[in-house]
Amino acid sequence: MKAQSDIAVVGLAVMGENLILNMASKGFTVTAYNRSYHKVEIFLAGRAKDQSIRGADSIESLVASLERPRKIMLMVKSGQPVDDFIEQLLPHLEQGDIVIDGGNSQFEDSNRRTKALAEKGILYVGAGVSGGEEGALKGPSIMPGGNPEAWPHVKPIFQAISAKVKDENGELTVPCCDWVGEAGAGHFVKMVHNGIEYGDMQIICEGYLVMRDLLGMSADECQTVFAQWNQTELSSYLIEITADILGFKEDGEALVEKILDTAGQKGTGKWTGVTALHLGVPLTLIGEAVFARCLSAQKSQRVEAAKLIKGPAPSFSGDKQAFLNDLKHALLAAKIVSYAQGFALIQEAAKEYKWDLDYGSIAMMWREGCIIRSVFLENIKQAYDKHPELDNLMLDDYFNDVLASAQSGWRNVIAAATVNGIAMPCISSALSYFDGYRTENLPANLLQAQRDYFGAHTYERKDKPRGEFFHTNWTGRGGATSSSTYDV
Ligand code: 6PG
């Protein structure tokens, strides 16, 4: 083991431990630190035995064990614990030392911490890490942002431990980790990753619901369909694990059917939705995915409502295979809309926070290692490589073509679900967004008239240049005074 460590990792929960083991397996020497030293001792005697991993029993010994510039990666709970640990560390650090937060932190916190630490000469990195415990051990997707001066020091470690994608020669050399951008850009991209994760999961669940409640399919039959879909453009980690889950048996019966239908959530999907509202970006699918989890959590109300409020009894009498093909198209189209909305949110944030982002590179960071990994991200990279400033992924030729051929199946499925009383919030709101986005004349002319009618909020006219605002005295009772025109 080298006399001094390349990096320290703080926090020996499963992600922290696995990242340390991953780093050691790639030839780095790592210091492990945890609030209670006992956990470090257990780790050193167990999983970390005979590897280039040393323990530290105090902040002083942690800092002393590191090569300069020191690199200290926090894998602690996001929020106050990160600030508290930085406070403890600061008196022991020197100019140019690097603090990395690898948790699911809010990007505003990373914006603030990057600035506050830069004033003290410390380089801050807010890095999103995705892939769960297996990813952390074998190769996660890592999305680092923060102080760009830190990147050359952190890059060799992060790119060595991250998942890899094949290069043009078919070799696994392209790391699913690159510099995202300044300040909170890395955590922003991780937040959107998680929002997209919520959307992908809900789209899949809606597909399963239609198979189960409209087509009357068993878990085994659904398993077969998801396994087939995993051989198509839908091929992804989440489709793959869905097939596995549907095939999993407990005492000879599908376990999935014994699980209570109330979803949990730790908050990153909600942050994505709230951020979209702040930035004024229509992120309808992820919003619906968060609300679908909220509705699922109202289990006792739903049990009562199911007795009192009646809808149609689902029944299907058509060509099942053709309908399943339509359903596949519905999932694919909704997924395209979701990623289009997610990337539009990242693009808006880049303008707002003045981040210089490479959208193709972000797609590649998600290509392997993370929860939303899928073959589809390759097409997103190509779209942004062709047009780095593309306003919306749906405008790209490839995605436009896929949507064109998926469209009729998508509409059929939503029509059938609607007629049969089956809720499909994500797949159907995606279609509303798609139809709204491609509509030249929305009814917002009427909406502006309503605003002007009751509140003198003014409107722009089709027959006048943009930026000129008009007010009409609609009733003859109002005055000529209009309210100021501003948009949030
Ligand atoms: C990842 C995941 C992870 C997330 C969990 C739980 O990228 O590895 O996104 O960061 O915390 O998936 O999220 P919810 O509890 O909100 O579903």
Side-chain angles (χ1 to χ4, degrees), residues 328-343:
K328 188 190 105 181
H329 282 134
L331 262 72
L332 182 60
K335 189 175 162 97
I336 294 172
V337 166
S338 180
Y339 283 69
Q341 294 183 340
F343 272 91

Side-chain angles (χ1 to χ4, degrees), residues 212-426:
R212 190 190 70 186
D213 287 4
L214 183 58
L215 302 182
M217 290 167 60
S218 67
D220 276 341
E221 289 170 323
C222 298
Q223 188 269 335
T224 307
V225 174
F226 279 105
Q228 281 164 359
W229 286 355
N230 201 38
Q231 307 304 317
T232 69
E233 319 88 294
L234 280 176
S235 173
S236 63
Y237 171 71
L238 286 169
I239 294 273
E240 181 191 325
I241 66 163
T242 300
D244 277 0
I245 290 166
L246 288 162
F248 192 93
K249 300 280 191 299
E250 186 189 73
D251 304 326
E253 288 169 46
L255 175 58
V256 71
E257 282 162 11
K258 300 182 186 179
I259 296 177
L260 192 72
D261 57 325
T262 58
Q265 51 183 318
K266 296 205 183 74
T268 45
K270 178 178 81 180
W271 299 348
T272 320
V274 168
T275 306
L277 288 170
H278 278 309
L279 292 175
V281 176
L283 192 85
T284 54
L285 191 142
I286 292 172
E288 288 289 359
V290 176
F291 290 133
R293 290 196 190 192
C294 301
L295 185 62
S296 80
Q298 298 177 341
K299 175 74 180 177
S300 53
Q301 281 189 54
R302 286 189 292 110
V303 170
E304 279 313 301
K307 292 179 202 144
L308 297 173
I309 309 174
K310 293 295 163 203
S315 80
F316 181 81
S317 60
D319 180 342
K320 199 163 142 184
Q321 271 318 316
F323 190 78
L324 281 170
N325 198 39
D326 285 350
L327 188 59
K328 188 190 105 181
H329 282 134
L331 262 72
L332 182 60
K335 189 175 162 97
I336 294 172
V337 166
S338 180
Y339 283 69
Q341 294 183 340
F343 272 91
L345 177 62
I346 299 176
Q347 283 171 277
E348 192 57 35
K351 281 188 218 148
E352 174 77 16
Y353 299 104
K354 304 190 174 38
W355 296 329
D356 182 20
L357 306 183
D358 178 335
Y359 305 106
S361 155
I362 292 169
M364 284 322 269
M365 281 182 243
W366 295 345
R367 176 69 186 83
E368 281 297 341
C370 66
I371 305 294
I372 64 169
R373 59 187 181 259
S374 66
V375 292
F376 171 90
L377 284 153
E378 199 79 45
N379 303 106
I380 297 185
K381 171 165 171 49
Q382 285 162 10
Y384 283 113
D385 282 353
K386 268 187 279 162
H387 299 290
E389 296 307 320
L390 191 67
D391 279 333
N392 189 302
L393 268 181
M394 298 191 304
L395 300 172
D396 170 72
D397 289 346
Y398 170 80
F399 288 112
N400 191 0
D401 286 351
V402 177
L403 286 167
S405 46
Q407 216 182 118
S408 82
W410 190 12
R411 292 183 194 281
N412 284 346
V413 166
I414 291 168
T418 307
V419 167
N420 285 283
I422 292 173
M424 269 199 150
C426 282

Side-chain angles (χ1 to χ4, degrees), residues 60-140:
E60 289 81 356
S61 63
L62 154 80
V63 170
S65 74
L66 292 169
E67 235 176 52
R68 289 190 198 148
R70 302 178 179 95
K71 294 171 274 305
I72 301 167
M73 181 165 189
L74 311 183
M75 293 303 297
V76 299
K77 201 169 178 301
S78 65
Q80 197 56 42
V82 175
D83 286 317
D84 291 347
F85 199 82
I86 292 173
E87 275 311 302
Q88 288 182 54
L89 264 180
L90 274 177
H92 306 278
L93 297 182
E94 289 175 331
Q95 295 275 317
D97 283 347
I98 298 164
V99 176
I100 306 155
D101 171 18
N104 263 335
S105 289
Q106 302 227 22
F107 76 95
E108 288 101 335
D109 284 342
S110 298
N111 281 344
R112 168 178 60 79
R113 289 173 187 143
T114 305
K115 193 159 173 275
L117 291 195
E119 282 160 12
K120 295 180 164 61
I122 307 297
L123 311 179
Y124 189 77
V125 175
V129 180
S130 176
E133 51 178 290
E134 200 185 342
L137 185 63
K138 295 186 181 155

